[in-house]
Structures are given as structure tokens and as C-alpha cells.
Amino acid sequence: MGKKRRREVERPTIHPKNKYSENPPDFAFLASLYPSFEPFVFYSRDGRPRIHWTDFNATRELTRVLLLHDHGINWWIPDGQLCPTVPNRSNYIHWIEDLLSSDIIPKTCNNGDNVRGFDIGTGANCIYPLLGASLLGWSFVGSDVTDIALEWAEKNVTNNPHISELIEIRKVESCPTSGEESDNGESACGESNLDLNGVEEQAVPSSSSPFDLSIDANNIYHGPPVLHGVVRDGEKFDFCMCNPPFFETMEEAGLNPKTSCGGTPKEMVCPGGEKAFISRIIEDSVALKQTFRWYTSMVGRKLNLKILTSKLWEVGATVVKTTEFVQGKTCRWGLAWTFMPPTRKIISPHVTEKKNLSFMLEGVQRQFSAVDVLHSIESFFHSTGASCKLNSALFTVDITASKDHCNAILKNEVNDVDEDAGDKHLQETSSSSSCFHVPSNSLSFRVLVFQQIPGTLLVKGSLQHGDSPFSGLFSSIFQQLEADLSCKFCREKATS
């Protein structure tokens, strides 16, 4: 049933304001106008003109031609630097345009219609400032740390005198706090489409949550400054944007054999990957607050999107918005937040729409049964200290978790339980009342396990008290549970 519902959901489409929404790039036409592009174009069996997306030179020449032909921008990058795709980057720009024009937060009148943005890790390509300035007349500060990125970003600005006064390239002084330096930069590959209708609007729960923003000590960002220390005193911006380093290693970055967008280690990789880098942006946003109307970033993994969204509730963001960017079978997400007071009350979807969650465990190994999964669920939550009550007859586990227990789960701090303490805990919960009394400052939910067909189990979770101040974390916790159970019980899927 879950698969059927997913097929019925309309796929995200390119932003309606995107220049390519109605007229995708015509490779044959461009090849006839630009001889330098013609050698990279070939024709498939159905007669359609194509390029090899695994050829860096082909993707770079396509980007150069599109920027020149459709935007009047002169552009180039040296070998090995990250090569952006124009329709994809335009989608991000137009999504921010929608954020700025929305009535969720008050519009600023300080600079009239002069919109000012900040591009974190602009890269040698400087694509976002160039597009934002040429499409919408926005002014930008583009930051970076490497000499080659700064040199070529500056060249790409000065080679376009009609917009050069709108763009400032700013050097980030490298001051890592550990021996291993790591930089910000872009890392998104491939063409992707934006679903404007898929934008999810969220509001902070009424009670702020005192969760710790820190992440695992081995995955903390130790690179140069991101926003705090780069933004100057007294500066104000309408937004910031970022394609963070998605990956923790270059080996991980090179797992997609179907694209070649280039990219140096400093652009693609940082310890802790995108979660650590965007967590630093969130930390900086807490310090800078209303210096920016909107803070935004791309996110490469949906699990990280859930975790980062929870972090934003923890630090007091007033509004969070997300959207999905899709390219073929590859998904990226957009995350935006603000500390500006909202102009209207928004009901949190964490309470109204996400009381019930479910996922399928497919490919469960033959030696495991629903009972094994049920006991593993109990152990997963019990190991953080949460209170659990297992009912093997109904195949349910009732869980009550405090703020500290939730924080431990989200930081993957699931530890082995002391055996004696565990026996005592089971005795206490088994003798408790079936109504399962819930403290008002805790998160209470029930998890059920259903046998579907051999090798497939359905795991459902239901929030018992939606008025808990921590109910916004339910989705993230359930996502962590899914990852844990899949790792323990499911066969690894063969990769093609």
C-alpha cells in the first residue's frame, strides 16, 4: 500500500518562473550556434540530441553556453572545479524569491526593493551571485576560502561589467580549531527540479525545547568561519544560501558514476559532512539572529533534513520551510528558517499532520520474526533510558521519553543497558497500569509491528499526546528507529 501511495504522488517539477520550465535547453540548436559546443553533442537511437553527463568538459561547455546564450553572462572555470547546472541553480534562486515575497514574515522597507544575499562558499563558478544579479537585480556577497576559488569568482564577476557592481567576493580568513582544515563549498551535481507546490511550511512549537545543538564529537565542523566572523558588524542581509559539502570523504562523493560535475575536496568534503556543516550555519544563525531575514541551505539526505529541522526548533527558529529538488532518481532538499516574528499564526504540521507515521521493513532475513523486531524496538528506546512497556500479545511497545532521552536518540547515543537495571525496569513497566501515565514534559508514543508477507513487516508509530512540547521531534526519532531496524534485520540490497 505504501508503494502505491508513493506512485500516486505528483513528482516535483521545475519552478514555473524558471527560464527552462517551458523550453528545456535544445542541444542541437545550441550546437548550431556555438561551434565549441558541437563536438560534445551526439544523437541517441530515437534521434534526440544528448551529451555525456560523465564528461566534465561537456557539462562545463554546456554551462558556459547556457549562461552566455540565455543570461548574457561570460563565464568559465578551470579544470577540476565544481561545475554547476544552470536550470538547477535557477530553481534555488526562484525558491528564495518566493520566500522573500511571501507574507510569512514582515517585509523590510529599509532598502526599498534592493535585495541583498550572501552565498556561503560561492566557489570558482560564483553561479548564485551571477544568476541572482542577472535574473533579479539582487546584490550579493560571495564568500570563499581557497585562492583559486576567489581568483576565478572575481574573474567571473569582472568579466560581466553590467552586473559586477552588484557582487562582492569576500575572502574568509581560515582559522580552523583543529589540525585538519576543512572548507565550505558547493557540492550539488546534476540538473534538478523544484516543486513549488511541495513547499512545506512549519512553525515552531509553542514551547521552546532546551535541546543541545551539539553533534557527535567526531563529526563537528572544524573549518574556517561560515557566517559568524565573516559577516561584518552592522551588515544586514535578506537571505543566505549554500550548497554545503555533502560528503565526509571523496570516496563517498564519487559514488555516482552517471554524472561528472567536478569538485575539489575542499568543495565536496568536510568532517561530519553536510550535517556538521549545516549545524554550524544553524549555530551562527543563533548568534546573528535577525541579521538575515532568511537562512537557507541545500540538504542531500532526508534523514539529515529531519535532524536539522529538529535542531531549528531547539534553538528557537520561528518558521521553517522545506522543499524538494529532484533530478531523475537523485533528490536534494531545500531548508529555510528565520528568527523574524511571523506575521500570522501557523499551526505546526508536527502536531496536526504527523501523529501517525509508518515504514516498511522489506527483505527481513529469514531467521528474524516480528517478535525479534518488537524486542529490538524496546531495546532501542530502553538503551537511552526511556520508559518502555512491551505487549507481546498486541505486538506493541509504549514509550515515554524525556527531553534527555530524545536528545540521546537524535545524537545516536544508544548504549548497552546494564542487565540488572534492565531487569528491574522490565518488572516495573510490566506491573504498571495499562493507561500508561505520561508526564506532561515527556514524549509519549506507541509503536506497533505487523506481519505483511514473509520477509516484510510494517512498523507503525502513533503519537499519544500531541500537546507535548517535544512532539515536533517524533518524526526525527521515528526516522532513527527505521535506520536502526533496517541495519539489524534487512538484507543489503544489491547495487547496480
Side-chain angles (χ1 to χ4, degrees):
M1 292 298 291
K3 290 184 177 180
K4 183 176 181 180
R5 284 196 298 272
R6 284 196 294 270
R7 285 196 298 267
E8 290 172 353
V9 174
E10 185 178 350
R11 297 291 289 173
T13 56
I14 197 166
H15 195 288
K17 293 181 181 178
N18 195 309
K19 184 183 292 286
Y20 307 100
S21 62
E22 298 293 336
N23 299 294
D26 185 335
F27 295 166
F29 177 68
L30 292 172
S32 69
L33 294 179
Y34 300 93
S36 59
F37 182 57
E38 192 274 334
F40 299 107
V41 177
F42 67 96
Y43 291 85
S44 60
R45 293 180 180 178
D46 60 4
R48 298 176 62 185
R50 301 179 182 275
I51 67 169
H52 288 293
W53 294 102
T54 55
D55 184 346
F56 173 80
N57 291 320
T59 58
R60 176 174 57 180
E61 185 61 18
L62 173 61
T63 296
R64 186 191 75 82
V65 166
L66 287 178
L67 287 173
L68 180 60
H69 183 76
D70 293 327
H71 302 276
I73 295 174
N74 296 298
W75 178 90
W76 191 249
I77 54 172
D79 291 351
Q81 298 296 304
L82 186 66
C83 181
T85 52
V86 179
N88 171 24
R89 300 309 199 265
S90 300
N91 277 331
Y92 193 179
I93 290 288
H94 287 303
W95 183 52
I96 291 178
E97 181 186 14
D98 292 337
L99 291 173
L100 297 177
S101 63
S102 71
D103 61 355
I104 303 293
I105 60 175
K107 293 180 172 62
T108 179
C109 300
N110 295 338
N111 297 318
D113 295 328
N114 182 23
V115 173
R116 192 177 190 214
F118 193 105
D119 182 21
I120 302 170
T122 195
N125 59 70
C126 194
I127 189 68
Y128 289 127
L130 292 172
L131 284 176
S134 64
L135 286 171
L136 299 165
W138 293 348
S139 62
F140 272 87
V141 171
S143 68
D144 217 298
V145 69
T146 65
D147 290 339
I148 190 168
L150 294 164
E151 175 188 354
W152 279 91
E154 195 67 60
K155 285 182 179 179
N156 281 319
V157 172
T158 57
N159 286 340
N160 295 279
H162 59 297
I163 56 173
S164 60
E165 292 186 358
L166 296 174
I167 303 171
E168 173 196 344
I169 303 302
R170 184 174 298 180
K171 179 178 176 60
V172 177
E173 296 300 331
S174 179
C175 53
T177 57
S178 70
E180 183 173 354
E181 181 176 308
S182 154
D183 300 314
N184 54 307
E186 291 190 281
S187 62
C189 294
E191 212 81 9
S192 71
N193 296 329
L194 175 66
D195 179 14
L196 177 62
N197 296 323
V199 171
E200 180 181 350
E201 181 181 312
Q202 303 171 354
V204 67
S206 57
S207 300
S208 60
S209 173
F211 285 96
D212 184 4
L213 184 64
S214 64
I215 58 177
D216 188 283
N218 296 324
N219 292 320
I220 295 177
Y221 175 76
H222 293 294
V226 177
L227 285 175
H228 194 50
V230 183
V231 174
R232 296 166 182 164
D233 291 342
E235 283 189 313
K236 292 286 187 180
F237 294 88
D238 292 282
F239 67 90
C240 68
M241 61 193 310
C242 179
N243 277 21
F246 289 144
F247 309 106
E248 297 190 53
T249 65
M250 283 302 288
E251 290 75 16
E252 182 185 5
L255 290 179
N256 186 355
K258 296 183 179 180
T259 61
S260 176
C261 62
T264 65
K266 290 184 179 295
E267 291 177 300
M268 307 284 281
V269 171
C270 82
E274 65 176 11
K275 183 167 73 171
F277 192 88
I278 300 172
S279 292
R280 173 54 62 87
I281 299 178
I282 294 175
E283 291 175 8
D284 286 359
S285 73
V286 172
L288 295 170
K289 290 287 188 188
Q290 296 183 19
T291 299
F292 292 80
R293 293 182 62 217
W294 287 101
Y295 297 86
T296 78
S297 179
M298 295 283 284
V299 182
R301 295 180 177 176
K302 193 171 184 178
L303 175 59
N304 287 338
L305 184 71
K306 301 284 187 181
I307 295 171
L308 293 166
T309 299
S310 294
K311 288 180 182 292
L312 291 169
W313 302 143
E314 296 160 19
V315 300
T318 55
V319 178
V320 175
K321 296 184 79 173
T322 63
T323 193
E324 184 177 5
F325 300 81
V326 174
Q327 167 59 29
K329 295 182 179 180
T330 301
C331 294
R332 295 286 184 264
W333 289 267
L335 176 64
W337 67 97
T338 183
F339 294 96
M340 302 285 288
T343 56
R344 54 188 174 87
K345 184 175 178 61
I346 309 164
I347 301 174
S348 172
H350 289 298
V351 176
T352 60
E353 297 178 5
K354 297 189 177 180
K355 286 187 177 181
N356 299 294
L357 299 171
S358 65
F359 59 83
M360 301 289 289
L361 285 180
E362 298 179 300
V364 176
Q365 299 180 64
R366 296 179 64 180
Q367 67 267 34
F368 297 120
S369 67
V371 174
D372 297 311
V373 173
L374 192 69
H375 282 281
S376 183
I377 292 171
E378 180 192 35
S379 176
F380 176 82
F381 292 106
H382 183 204
S383 60
T384 66
S387 175
C388 303
K389 181 182 179 183
L390 185 149
N391 188 320
S392 56
L394 297 178
F395 283 84
T396 63
V397 182
D398 289 319
I399 298 103
T400 298
S402 69
K403 61 187 180 185
D404 292 332
H405 302 149
C406 294
N407 198 28
I409 294 168
L410 291 177
K411 292 195 296 181
N412 293 314
E413 294 179 355
V414 179
N415 306 311
D416 293 332
V417 184
D418 179 77
E419 191 171 331
D420 293 334
D423 291 340
K424 180 180 179 182
H425 171 79
L426 290 176
Q427 292 170 5
E428 291 174 347
T429 57
S430 63
S431 62
S432 62
S433 170
S434 60
C435 65
F436 204 53
H437 175 69
V438 181
S440 60
N441 62 345
S442 297
L443 184 67
S444 173
F445 52 96
R446 170 172 290 179
V447 180
L448 305 89
V449 179
F450 299 90
Q451 179 82 48
Q452 297 293 98
I453 59 175
T456 301
L457 298 174
L458 173 64
V459 180
K460 297 181 67 175
S462 57
L463 195 60
Q464 302 296 295
H465 296 272
D467 57 351
S468 165
F470 316 122
S471 59
L473 300 174
F474 179 47
S475 179
S476 297
I477 291 172
F478 210 64
Q479 192 84 14
Q480 291 277 27
L481 175 64
E482 178 181 5
D484 182 79
L485 296 179
S486 296
C487 181
K488 288 180 179 177
F489 296 104
C490 299
R491 295 183 294 270
E492 292 186 8
K493 296 182 179 179
T495 56
S496 57

